[in-house]
Amino acid sequence: MPFDLPELPYAKDALAPHISATTFEFHHGKHHKAYVDNMNKLIEGTPHADKSLEEIIQAAHTDGNAALFNNAAQVWNHTFFWNSMKPNGGGAPTGELADRINHAFGGIDQFKDAFKQAGVTQFGSGWAWLVLDHGDLKIIKTANADLPLVHGQTALLTCDVWEHAYYLDFQNRRPDFLQAYLDYLINWDFAAANLAQAA
């Protein structure tokens, strides 16, 4: 069965004014949809057609199938990004995730500074991530469609720093977009659930 474009986990205007409904109309309705459509065309009639999205990504990465990897990984990345945010997000984590962040980074403010720096310094298109890497929390950045899954890491949160993620709302002010993500949008419940699932 072909893959469907996942629904947003909230209304298109739910993250305004930080991310507008217009941005979601393009970013989700056109960019994300194009990745889904392209991936479906690439797997049609192949052994990949019956695989999970994660299996397709791993196989395409191993085989060096750049077209399939880029589209499949971007389907996964965008779905994960939507869930990394929520209306009235931001604030600080609690429980085990808070303890782990304090241990790894020295506190929530230090985490925010390091995460923002990763996103700002990702040259060109890419992603900033909070990951679990062999039991340790780390902040990483990846280019284009690259993702933690193919590097033996478990993603906990991500922020999309491709220009189309923020340009309609922030123009060229990527640092302001990342700050808004950290202060008002980040979904700590999602990160905590991903951490608990990986434990």
Side-chain angles (χ1 to χ4, degrees), residues 84-144:
S84 292
M85 303 181 289
K86 68 176 184 178
N88 303 309
T94 58
E96 182 185 357
L97 180 58
D99 293 341
R100 299 285 290 267
I101 284 177
N102 290 336
H103 175 75
F105 306 107
I108 185 62
D109 290 337
Q110 292 89 336
F111 161 80
K112 286 185 175 184
D113 288 344
F115 191 94
K116 182 178 178 181
Q117 182 69 7
V120 169
T121 58
Q122 170 53 42
F123 184 77
S125 300
W127 304 80
W129 305 84
L130 174 64
V131 303
L132 186 65
D133 185 0
H134 297 94
D136 296 322
L137 291 192
K138 294 181 180 178
I139 292 168
I140 66 165
K141 54 187 177 181
T142 62
N144 299 319

Short mmCIF file of all heavy atoms in Angstrom, two decimals, residues 84-144:
data_model
loop_
_atom_site.label_atom_id
_atom_site.label_comp_id
_atom_site.label_asym_id
_atom_site.label_seq_id
_atom_site.Cartn_x
_atom_site.Cartn_y
_atom_site.Cartn_z
N SER A 84 7.53 17.26 17.20
CA SER A 84 8.48 17.89 18.11
C SER A 84 7.98 19.24 18.61
O SER A 84 8.64 19.87 19.45
CB SER A 84 9.84 18.07 17.43
OG SER A 84 10.46 16.83 17.18
N MET A 85 6.85 19.69 18.09
CA MET A 85 6.26 20.97 18.49
C MET A 85 4.82 20.75 18.95
O MET A 85 4.19 19.76 18.59
CB MET A 85 6.27 21.95 17.31
CG MET A 85 7.65 22.21 16.74
SD MET A 85 7.63 23.41 15.38
CE MET A 85 6.83 22.45 14.08
N LYS A 86 4.32 21.70 19.74
CA LYS A 86 2.92 21.65 20.15
C LYS A 86 2.48 23.07 20.50
O LYS A 86 3.30 23.94 20.82
CB LYS A 86 2.73 20.73 21.35
CG LYS A 86 3.35 21.21 22.65
CD LYS A 86 3.00 20.26 23.78
CE LYS A 86 3.55 20.79 25.11
NZ LYS A 86 3.16 19.90 26.24
N PRO A 87 1.18 23.34 20.44
CA PRO A 87 0.68 24.63 20.89
C PRO A 87 1.03 24.84 22.36
O PRO A 87 0.99 23.89 23.16
CB PRO A 87 -0.83 24.52 20.70
CG PRO A 87 -1.01 23.43 19.68
CD PRO A 87 0.11 22.47 19.91
N ASN A 88 1.41 26.05 22.71
CA ASN A 88 1.81 26.37 24.09
C ASN A 88 2.94 25.47 24.57
O ASN A 88 2.96 25.02 25.72
CB ASN A 88 0.60 26.25 25.04
CG ASN A 88 -0.54 27.15 24.62
OD1 ASN A 88 -0.35 28.34 24.39
ND2 ASN A 88 -1.74 26.57 24.51
N GLY A 89 3.87 25.22 23.67
CA GLY A 89 5.04 24.43 24.03
C GLY A 89 6.10 25.28 24.72
O GLY A 89 5.81 26.34 25.26
N GLY A 90 7.33 24.80 24.67
CA GLY A 90 8.41 25.51 25.33
C GLY A 90 8.51 25.14 26.79
O GLY A 90 8.17 24.02 27.19
N GLY A 91 8.97 26.07 27.59
CA GLY A 91 9.15 25.78 29.00
C GLY A 91 10.35 24.87 29.23
O GLY A 91 11.35 24.97 28.51
N ALA A 92 10.24 23.99 30.19
CA ALA A 92 11.35 23.11 30.55
C ALA A 92 10.85 21.68 30.72
O ALA A 92 9.68 21.46 31.06
CB ALA A 92 12.00 23.59 31.84
N PRO A 93 11.70 20.71 30.47
CA PRO A 93 11.32 19.31 30.68
C PRO A 93 11.23 19.00 32.17
O PRO A 93 11.69 19.78 33.02
CB PRO A 93 12.45 18.54 30.02
CG PRO A 93 13.64 19.45 30.14
CD PRO A 93 13.10 20.84 30.01
N THR A 94 10.66 17.85 32.48
CA THR A 94 10.56 17.39 33.87
C THR A 94 11.05 15.95 33.94
O THR A 94 11.34 15.32 32.92
CB THR A 94 9.10 17.46 34.37
OG1 THR A 94 8.27 16.66 33.50
CG2 THR A 94 8.59 18.89 34.36
N GLY A 95 11.13 15.44 35.14
CA GLY A 95 11.44 14.03 35.35
C GLY A 95 12.79 13.60 34.84
O GLY A 95 13.78 14.36 34.91
N GLU A 96 12.84 12.38 34.33
CA GLU A 96 14.12 11.81 33.88
C GLU A 96 14.75 12.64 32.78
O GLU A 96 15.98 12.82 32.76
CB GLU A 96 13.92 10.37 33.39
CG GLU A 96 15.23 9.74 32.96
CD GLU A 96 15.07 8.36 32.35
OE1 GLU A 96 13.94 7.85 32.30
OE2 GLU A 96 16.10 7.81 31.90
N LEU A 97 13.94 13.15 31.84
CA LEU A 97 14.51 13.94 30.75
C LEU A 97 15.20 15.18 31.29
O LEU A 97 16.30 15.53 30.85
CB LEU A 97 13.41 14.32 29.75
CG LEU A 97 13.87 15.16 28.55
CD1 LEU A 97 14.96 14.44 27.75
CD2 LEU A 97 12.68 15.48 27.64
N ALA A 98 14.59 15.84 32.25
CA ALA A 98 15.22 17.02 32.86
C ALA A 98 16.54 16.64 33.52
O ALA A 98 17.55 17.35 33.37
CB ALA A 98 14.27 17.64 33.88
N ASP A 99 16.54 15.53 34.24
CA ASP A 99 17.76 15.08 34.90
C ASP A 99 18.85 14.78 33.88
O ASP A 99 20.03 15.14 34.08
CB ASP A 99 17.49 13.83 35.74
CG ASP A 99 16.57 14.09 36.92
OD1 ASP A 99 16.43 15.28 37.31
OD2 ASP A 99 15.98 13.12 37.44
N ARG A 100 18.47 14.14 32.79
CA ARG A 100 19.45 13.78 31.76
C ARG A 100 20.01 15.02 31.07
O ARG A 100 21.19 15.10 30.74
CB ARG A 100 18.82 12.83 30.74
CG ARG A 100 18.32 11.51 31.31
CD ARG A 100 19.45 10.54 31.61
NE ARG A 100 20.07 10.05 30.42
CZ ARG A 100 19.72 8.91 29.79
NH1 ARG A 100 18.71 8.19 30.24
NH2 ARG A 100 20.35 8.51 28.71
N ILE A 101 19.13 16.01 30.83
CA ILE A 101 19.58 17.26 30.19
C ILE A 101 20.51 18.03 31.13
O ILE A 101 21.55 18.56 30.70
CB ILE A 101 18.38 18.11 29.76
CG1 ILE A 101 17.76 17.50 28.49
CG2 ILE A 101 18.77 19.57 29.53
CD1 ILE A 101 16.52 18.20 27.99
N ASN A 102 20.16 18.08 32.41
CA ASN A 102 21.03 18.75 33.37
C ASN A 102 22.40 18.08 33.43
O ASN A 102 23.44 18.76 33.49
CB ASN A 102 20.39 18.75 34.76
CG ASN A 102 19.17 19.66 34.84
OD1 ASN A 102 19.04 20.61 34.06
ND2 ASN A 102 18.28 19.38 35.76
N HIS A 103 22.41 16.76 33.40
CA HIS A 103 23.68 16.02 33.46
C HIS A 103 24.51 16.22 32.20
O HIS A 103 25.73 16.41 32.26
CB HIS A 103 23.39 14.52 33.66
CG HIS A 103 24.62 13.67 33.63
ND1 HIS A 103 25.52 13.61 34.68
CD2 HIS A 103 25.11 12.85 32.66
CE1 HIS A 103 26.51 12.79 34.36
NE2 HIS A 103 26.29 12.31 33.14
N ALA A 104 23.84 16.19 31.04
CA ALA A 104 24.56 16.25 29.76
C ALA A 104 25.03 17.65 29.40
O ALA A 104 26.10 17.83 28.83
CB ALA A 104 23.68 15.68 28.64
N PHE A 105 24.21 18.65 29.74
CA PHE A 105 24.48 20.01 29.24
C PHE A 105 24.68 21.05 30.34
O PHE A 105 25.09 22.17 30.05
CB PHE A 105 23.33 20.47 28.32
CG PHE A 105 23.05 19.52 27.21
CD1 PHE A 105 21.90 18.73 27.22
CD2 PHE A 105 23.94 19.37 26.14
CE1 PHE A 105 21.64 17.83 26.19
CE2 PHE A 105 23.68 18.47 25.12
CZ PHE A 105 22.54 17.70 25.14
N GLY A 106 24.37 20.68 31.60
CA GLY A 106 24.55 21.61 32.70
C GLY A 106 23.30 22.40 33.04
O GLY A 106 23.34 23.24 33.95
N GLY A 107 22.21 22.17 32.32
CA GLY A 107 20.96 22.87 32.60
C GLY A 107 20.20 23.17 31.33
O GLY A 107 20.73 23.04 30.22
N ILE A 108 18.94 23.60 31.50
CA ILE A 108 18.09 23.85 30.34
C ILE A 108 18.60 25.03 29.52
O ILE A 108 18.53 25.01 28.29
CB ILE A 108 16.62 24.05 30.78
CG1 ILE A 108 15.70 24.19 29.56
CG2 ILE A 108 16.47 25.22 31.71
CD1 ILE A 108 15.66 22.99 28.65
N ASP A 109 19.10 26.06 30.18
CA ASP A 109 19.59 27.22 29.43
C ASP A 109 20.80 26.85 28.57
O ASP A 109 20.91 27.29 27.42
CB ASP A 109 19.95 28.36 30.39
CG ASP A 109 18.73 28.98 31.05
OD1 ASP A 109 17.63 28.85 30.48
OD2 ASP A 109 18.88 29.57 32.13
N GLN A 110 21.68 26.04 29.13
CA GLN A 110 22.84 25.60 28.37
C GLN A 110 22.42 24.70 27.21
O GLN A 110 23.01 24.76 26.12
CB GLN A 110 23.83 24.86 29.28
CG GLN A 110 24.50 25.76 30.31
CD GLN A 110 23.72 25.88 31.62
OE1 GLN A 110 22.49 25.68 31.65
NE2 GLN A 110 24.42 26.22 32.69
N PHE A 111 21.40 23.86 27.44
CA PHE A 111 20.87 23.05 26.35
C PHE A 111 20.35 23.93 25.23
O PHE A 111 20.65 23.71 24.05
CB PHE A 111 19.75 22.13 26.84
CG PHE A 111 18.89 21.62 25.71
CD1 PHE A 111 19.31 20.56 24.93
CD2 PHE A 111 17.67 22.23 25.40
CE1 PHE A 111 18.54 20.11 23.85
CE2 PHE A 111 16.90 21.79 24.35
CZ PHE A 111 17.34 20.73 23.57
N LYS A 112 19.55 24.94 25.59
CA LYS A 112 18.97 25.81 24.57
C LYS A 112 20.07 26.52 23.77
O LYS A 112 19.98 26.62 22.54
CB LYS A 112 18.05 26.84 25.21
CG LYS A 112 16.71 26.29 25.68
CD LYS A 112 15.83 27.42 26.21
CE LYS A 112 14.44 26.93 26.57
NZ LYS A 112 13.56 28.04 26.99
N ASP A 113 21.09 26.98 24.45
CA ASP A 113 22.19 27.67 23.76
C ASP A 113 22.88 26.73 22.77
O ASP A 113 23.18 27.11 21.64
CB ASP A 113 23.22 28.19 24.77
CG ASP A 113 22.71 29.38 25.57
OD1 ASP A 113 21.69 29.99 25.16
OD2 ASP A 113 23.32 29.69 26.61
N ALA A 114 23.13 25.50 23.21
CA ALA A 114 23.84 24.54 22.36
C ALA A 114 22.98 24.09 21.19
O ALA A 114 23.46 23.93 20.07
CB ALA A 114 24.27 23.33 23.19
N PHE A 115 21.68 23.89 21.44
CA PHE A 115 20.78 23.47 20.37
C PHE A 115 20.64 24.58 19.33
O PHE A 115 20.70 24.33 18.12
CB PHE A 115 19.41 23.11 20.95
CG PHE A 115 18.49 22.42 19.99
CD1 PHE A 115 18.43 21.03 19.93
CD2 PHE A 115 17.67 23.15 19.13
CE1 PHE A 115 17.58 20.39 19.04
CE2 PHE A 115 16.83 22.52 18.23
CZ PHE A 115 16.78 21.12 18.18
N LYS A 116 20.46 25.81 19.81
CA LYS A 116 20.35 26.94 18.90
C LYS A 116 21.62 27.10 18.07
O LYS A 116 21.56 27.33 16.86
CB LYS A 116 20.07 28.21 19.69
CG LYS A 116 19.88 29.45 18.82
CD LYS A 116 19.55 30.67 19.67
CE LYS A 116 19.42 31.92 18.82
NZ LYS A 116 19.10 33.11 19.67
N GLN A 117 22.77 26.93 18.71
CA GLN A 117 24.04 27.05 17.99
C GLN A 117 24.16 25.99 16.91
O GLN A 117 24.62 26.27 15.79
CB GLN A 117 25.21 26.93 18.97
CG GLN A 117 26.59 27.08 18.36
CD GLN A 117 26.88 28.49 17.88
OE1 GLN A 117 26.11 29.42 18.11
NE2 GLN A 117 27.99 28.67 17.18
N ALA A 118 23.70 24.78 17.20
CA ALA A 118 23.75 23.71 16.20
C ALA A 118 22.89 24.08 15.00
O ALA A 118 23.30 23.89 13.85
CB ALA A 118 23.28 22.39 16.81
N GLY A 119 21.70 24.59 15.25
CA GLY A 119 20.80 24.95 14.16
C GLY A 119 21.30 26.13 13.36
O GLY A 119 21.19 26.15 12.12
N VAL A 120 21.85 27.13 14.04
CA VAL A 120 22.34 28.32 13.35
C VAL A 120 23.55 28.00 12.49
O VAL A 120 23.70 28.55 11.39
CB VAL A 120 22.69 29.42 14.39
CG1 VAL A 120 23.46 30.57 13.74
CG2 VAL A 120 21.41 29.97 15.03
N THR A 121 24.42 27.11 12.96
CA THR A 121 25.68 26.83 12.25
C THR A 121 25.57 25.70 11.24
O THR A 121 26.57 25.36 10.60
CB THR A 121 26.80 26.51 13.25
OG1 THR A 121 26.42 25.38 14.05
CG2 THR A 121 27.08 27.70 14.15
N GLN A 122 24.37 25.10 11.10
CA GLN A 122 24.20 24.11 10.03
C GLN A 122 24.20 24.86 8.70
O GLN A 122 23.24 25.55 8.38
CB GLN A 122 22.89 23.32 10.22
CG GLN A 122 22.50 22.45 9.04
CD GLN A 122 23.60 21.51 8.60
OE1 GLN A 122 24.29 20.93 9.42
NE2 GLN A 122 23.79 21.39 7.30
N PHE A 123 25.27 24.72 7.95
CA PHE A 123 25.39 25.46 6.70
C PHE A 123 24.41 24.91 5.67
O PHE A 123 24.36 23.71 5.43
CB PHE A 123 26.82 25.38 6.16
CG PHE A 123 27.04 26.20 4.92
CD1 PHE A 123 27.19 27.58 5.00
CD2 PHE A 123 27.06 25.60 3.67
CE1 PHE A 123 27.37 28.34 3.86
CE2 PHE A 123 27.25 26.35 2.53
CZ PHE A 123 27.40 27.72 2.62
N GLY A 124 23.62 25.78 5.08
CA GLY A 124 22.64 25.35 4.09
C GLY A 124 21.48 24.64 4.77
O GLY A 124 21.10 24.95 5.90
N SER A 125 20.91 23.68 4.07
CA SER A 125 19.72 23.00 4.56
C SER A 125 20.07 21.88 5.52
O SER A 125 21.11 21.24 5.39
CB SER A 125 18.94 22.43 3.37
OG SER A 125 18.56 23.46 2.49
N GLY A 126 19.18 21.63 6.48
CA GLY A 126 19.44 20.53 7.40
C GLY A 126 18.57 20.59 8.63
O GLY A 126 17.51 21.24 8.65
N TRP A 127 19.06 19.95 9.69
CA TRP A 127 18.27 19.71 10.89
C TRP A 127 19.15 19.81 12.13
O TRP A 127 20.32 19.43 12.09
CB TRP A 127 17.65 18.30 10.85
CG TRP A 127 16.84 18.06 9.63
CD1 TRP A 127 17.29 17.72 8.37
CD2 TRP A 127 15.42 18.15 9.51
NE1 TRP A 127 16.24 17.61 7.50
CE2 TRP A 127 15.08 17.86 8.17
CE3 TRP A 127 14.41 18.44 10.42
CZ2 TRP A 127 13.77 17.86 7.71
CZ3 TRP A 127 13.10 18.44 9.97
CH2 TRP A 127 12.79 18.15 8.64
N ALA A 128 18.58 20.28 13.24
CA ALA A 128 19.21 20.19 14.55
C ALA A 128 18.43 19.16 15.36
O ALA A 128 17.20 19.12 15.30
CB ALA A 128 19.18 21.54 15.26
N TRP A 129 19.14 18.33 16.11
CA TRP A 129 18.53 17.19 16.80
C TRP A 129 19.00 17.10 18.25
O TRP A 129 20.18 17.36 18.54
CB TRP A 129 18.91 15.87 16.13
CG TRP A 129 18.64 15.73 14.69
CD1 TRP A 129 19.43 16.15 13.64
CD2 TRP A 129 17.51 15.09 14.08
NE1 TRP A 129 18.85 15.82 12.45
CE2 TRP A 129 17.68 15.16 12.68
CE3 TRP A 129 16.38 14.45 14.61
CZ2 TRP A 129 16.75 14.63 11.79
CZ3 TRP A 129 15.46 13.91 13.72
CH2 TRP A 129 15.65 14.01 12.31
N LEU A 130 18.12 16.64 19.12
CA LEU A 130 18.50 16.08 20.40
C LEU A 130 18.37 14.58 20.25
O LEU A 130 17.29 14.08 19.88
CB LEU A 130 17.59 16.59 21.52
CG LEU A 130 17.81 15.94 22.90
CD1 LEU A 130 19.19 16.27 23.45
CD2 LEU A 130 16.72 16.38 23.88
N VAL A 131 19.46 13.85 20.51
CA VAL A 131 19.46 12.40 20.29
C VAL A 131 19.97 11.67 21.52
O VAL A 131 20.67 12.24 22.38
CB VAL A 131 20.33 12.01 19.07
CG1 VAL A 131 19.86 12.72 17.81
CG2 VAL A 131 21.81 12.29 19.33
N LEU A 132 19.63 10.40 21.57
CA LEU A 132 20.21 9.47 22.53
C LEU A 132 21.23 8.65 21.75
O LEU A 132 20.88 7.96 20.78
CB LEU A 132 19.13 8.58 23.13
CG LEU A 132 19.55 7.64 24.26
CD1 LEU A 132 19.99 8.45 25.49
CD2 LEU A 132 18.41 6.69 24.63
N ASP A 133 22.49 8.74 22.16
CA ASP A 133 23.59 8.09 21.44
C ASP A 133 24.33 7.18 22.41
O ASP A 133 25.09 7.65 23.25
CB ASP A 133 24.53 9.15 20.86
CG ASP A 133 25.63 8.55 20.00
OD1 ASP A 133 25.68 7.31 19.86
OD2 ASP A 133 26.45 9.32 19.48
N HIS A 134 24.06 5.86 22.30
CA HIS A 134 24.68 4.88 23.20
C HIS A 134 24.52 5.29 24.67
O HIS A 134 25.48 5.25 25.45
CB HIS A 134 26.16 4.69 22.84
CG HIS A 134 26.37 4.13 21.46
ND1 HIS A 134 26.58 4.94 20.37
CD2 HIS A 134 26.35 2.86 21.00
CE1 HIS A 134 26.71 4.18 19.28
NE2 HIS A 134 26.56 2.92 19.65
N GLY A 135 23.31 5.71 25.01
CA GLY A 135 22.98 6.02 26.39
C GLY A 135 23.21 7.46 26.80
O GLY A 135 22.83 7.85 27.91
N ASP A 136 23.84 8.25 25.95
CA ASP A 136 24.14 9.65 26.28
C ASP A 136 23.29 10.61 25.44
O ASP A 136 23.10 10.37 24.25
CB ASP A 136 25.62 9.96 26.03
CG ASP A 136 26.54 9.15 26.92
OD1 ASP A 136 26.18 8.93 28.11
OD2 ASP A 136 27.61 8.72 26.44
N LEU A 137 22.82 11.68 26.05
CA LEU A 137 22.14 12.72 25.30
C LEU A 137 23.16 13.59 24.58
O LEU A 137 24.15 14.01 25.17
CB LEU A 137 21.29 13.62 26.22
CG LEU A 137 20.06 13.03 26.88
CD1 LEU A 137 19.23 14.16 27.50
CD2 LEU A 137 19.21 12.25 25.89
N LYS A 138 22.91 13.85 23.30
CA LYS A 138 23.79 14.69 22.51
C LYS A 138 22.95 15.58 21.60
O LYS A 138 21.82 15.24 21.25
CB LYS A 138 24.73 13.84 21.64
CG LYS A 138 25.74 13.02 22.43
CD LYS A 138 26.65 12.25 21.50
CE LYS A 138 27.66 11.41 22.28
NZ LYS A 138 28.52 10.61 21.38
N ILE A 139 23.52 16.71 21.23
CA ILE A 139 22.95 17.57 20.21
C ILE A 139 23.77 17.40 18.95
O ILE A 139 25.01 17.49 19.00
CB ILE A 139 22.96 19.04 20.66
CG1 ILE A 139 21.99 19.24 21.82
CG2 ILE A 139 22.59 19.96 19.51
CD1 ILE A 139 22.14 20.58 22.52
N ILE A 140 23.12 17.12 17.84
CA ILE A 140 23.81 16.97 16.57
C ILE A 140 23.09 17.80 15.51
O ILE A 140 21.97 18.26 15.72
CB ILE A 140 23.89 15.50 16.12
CG1 ILE A 140 22.49 14.95 15.81
CG2 ILE A 140 24.60 14.64 17.16
CD1 ILE A 140 22.50 13.64 15.03
N LYS A 141 23.74 17.97 14.39
CA LYS A 141 23.11 18.59 13.23
C LYS A 141 23.40 17.70 12.04
O LYS A 141 24.43 17.03 11.97
CB LYS A 141 23.63 20.01 13.01
CG LYS A 141 25.13 20.13 12.90
CD LYS A 141 25.57 21.59 12.86
CE LYS A 141 27.09 21.71 12.83
NZ LYS A 141 27.54 23.12 12.80
N THR A 142 22.44 17.65 11.12
CA THR A 142 22.61 16.85 9.90
C THR A 142 22.26 17.71 8.70
O THR A 142 21.47 18.64 8.79
CB THR A 142 21.70 15.60 9.90
OG1 THR A 142 20.32 16.00 9.95
CG2 THR A 142 22.01 14.69 11.07
N ALA A 143 22.87 17.38 7.58
CA ALA A 143 22.63 18.12 6.34
C ALA A 143 21.54 17.47 5.52
O ALA A 143 21.37 16.24 5.53
CB ALA A 143 23.92 18.20 5.52
N ASN A 144 20.79 18.29 4.81
CA ASN A 144 19.80 17.83 3.85
C ASN A 144 18.83 16.84 4.49
O ASN A 144 18.14 17.19 5.43
CB ASN A 144 20.50 17.26 2.62
CG ASN A 144 21.36 18.33 1.94
OD1 ASN A 144 20.95 19.47 1.81
ND2 ASN A 144 22.56 17.96 1.52
#
